[in-house]
Amino acid sequence: MHDLAETAKALVAEGKGILAADESDGTIKKRFDSIDVESTEDNRRAYRELLFSTEGAEDYISGVILFDETIRQSAADGTPFPKLLESKGVIPGIKVDKGAKPLALAPDETITEGLDGLRGRLEEYRELGARFAKWRATYSIASDKPSEYCAWTNAHALARYAALCQEAGIVPIVEPEVLQDGTHTLEQSSKATGRVLQALYTELHDQRVELTGTLLKPNMVLSGYEASDRAGVDEVAEATLECFYRHVPAAVPGIVFLSGGQTDEDATAHLNAMNARGPHPWQLSFSYGRALQAPALKAWQGKPENVEAAQRAYYHRAKMNGAARTGMYAPEMEREAAAV
Ligand code: 13P
């Protein structure tokens, strides 16, 4: 358990956070479609190499979440990706769930699959270099959602996954994502997020999971993306903190937010505003996918001559989020960098 707690702490080291580069085949295809690049194995490999080999990113990135295909791939010079990351002091992680599927007898709700055979897969991933893992459950907000049924079945599965990870010497990141699509208010988001977290920590406790060797990867509490009068940065920071103070035990070493559908600058500003109100019982950090990658993907366009520009874009977002870890980010830093 000592090693697990050490790894969890290293993942939320001061000024650093996690890059989520674990897009499944379907998701990476969607991202590549947006820049008109075909999702072939080699294009996926080249894109991930661009991210992982960005010089200096390790100053702000503690760990990278990989997909099953990616953890088996190598850089152009033959170095396996997990080795490349380790050589920079970056901890390799792995997405192990098999996706959110329709929950039986619960229209429009999901249950995350992937427990069958998980013990064996974790053993293999550890051999391949993974030191932490991720499992994502999703919930939507409506007058009757998330249902108790959806909250508890997903909490149960998340805890089963977490226990198996700890047994395998892998730090489980538990990711209950309350989707922020729709027109809901900040209060509705807070209520749904709190409900889901309460069920999750009950199951983790009942299934003997040692919280010091885990990380939580949640959504922030936001107004719905389609709501007309959306809450600003300070309101979001305060509502999110209030919700987590109520529902997340202090034994959890870190909360690493996902970015969801936020713009990259919003995701940074929200994290910064929360850290500016610290110190808190847990480290507040990031495990962003889109909010770290979007400008890099756009700059790359699948062209080798754009690799440097894409790496600069990725480095910049990593640095901005690194600053948000200590509450030192200011939107002017975006423009200063653009002027260089
Ligand atoms: P986003 O930051 O793009 O939401 O991705 C994080 C993630 O890993 C979702 O599972």
Side-chain angles (χ1 to χ4, degrees), residues 34-325:
S34 75
I35 53 164
D36 234 353
V37 169
E38 202 190 337
S39 183
T40 61
E41 184 183 345
D42 201 55
N43 282 341
R44 293 192 292 271
R45 198 207 58 73
Y47 175 62
R48 265 74 181 242
E49 176 167 2
L50 169 173
L51 295 174
F52 305 161
S53 62
T54 296
E55 235 166 272
E58 62 273 15
D59 292 345
Y60 312 107
I61 300 295
S62 56
V64 174
I65 316 176
L66 305 166
F67 184 57
D68 180 75
E69 174 185 87
T70 324
I71 199 171
R72 303 168 195 281
Q73 287 176 323
S74 301
D77 70 359
T79 312
F81 281 151
K83 289 268 170 299
L84 170 66
L85 293 170
E86 276 165 25
S87 74
K88 292 166 172 280
V90 175
I91 305 172
I94 181 76
K95 168 197 178 76
V96 302
D97 67 69
K98 299 246 179 191
K101 306 287 159 59
L103 176 63
L105 306 180
D108 302 323
E109 296 201 291
T110 62
I111 180 75
T112 299
E113 296 188 348
L115 289 170
D116 288 353
L118 183 57
R119 180 179 268 125
R121 288 197 290 130
L122 286 169
E123 205 179 305
E124 188 196 3
Y125 288 140
R126 200 172 194 288
E127 288 283 302
L128 289 167
R131 291 294 173 268
F132 71 103
K134 175 190 117 171
W135 178 287
R136 171 175 177 255
T138 61
Y139 315 80
S140 23
I141 300 179
S143 57
D144 57 346
K145 290 188 192 73
S147 65
E148 290 293 302
Y149 170 34
C150 178
W152 286 101
T153 45
N154 275 295
H156 186 84
L158 276 158
R160 284 197 59 196
Y161 140 81
L164 282 163
C165 282
Q166 291 197 329
E167 202 185 69
I170 288 181
V171 171
I173 295 187
V174 288
E175 180 178 0
E177 178 176 5
V178 179
L179 301 166
Q180 302 296 306
D181 307 288
T183 57
H184 62 259
T185 61
L186 205 58
E187 292 67 34
Q188 284 172 296
S189 176
S190 174
K191 192 161 168 254
T193 304
R195 183 70 200 96
V196 157
L197 289 172
Q198 197 64 41
L200 174 60
Y201 283 100
T202 302
E203 284 290 344
L204 288 172
H205 179 268
D206 287 357
Q207 295 189 44
R208 309 178 180 178
V209 174
E210 171 56 52
L211 295 184
T212 56
T214 66
L215 292 172
L216 172 66
K217 174 163 174 167
N219 54 283
M220 294 181 194
V221 173
L222 304 174
S223 317
Y225 294 127
E226 291 84 41
S228 49
D229 188 18
R230 304 195 62 216
V233 173
D234 289 324
E235 275 178 283
V236 165
E238 275 154 29
T240 304
L241 286 171
E242 194 196 348
C243 181
F244 288 89
Y245 268 83
R246 276 184 205 282
H247 298 288
V248 182
V252 173
I255 299 178
V256 295
F257 290 98
L258 59 93
S259 61
Q262 302 180 66
T263 65
D264 38 14
E265 291 187 25
D266 276 356
T268 308
H270 288 148
L271 178 64
N272 186 69
M274 286 188 263
N275 276 314
R277 286 162 169 77
H280 302 298
W282 350 257
Q283 292 293 312
L284 291 184
S285 185
F286 57 91
S287 174
Y288 293 160
R290 282 162 284 180
L292 275 168
Q293 295 185 46
L297 192 66
K298 212 166 140 210
W300 178 52
Q301 298 288 324
K303 300 196 174 90
E305 64 270 27
N306 292 340
V307 163
E308 247 177 70
Q311 290 185 324
R312 270 199 305 277
Y314 167 55
Y315 177 85
H316 174 67
R317 286 262 52 85
K319 187 172 175 178
M320 295 299 100
N321 286 303
R325 284 283 283 109

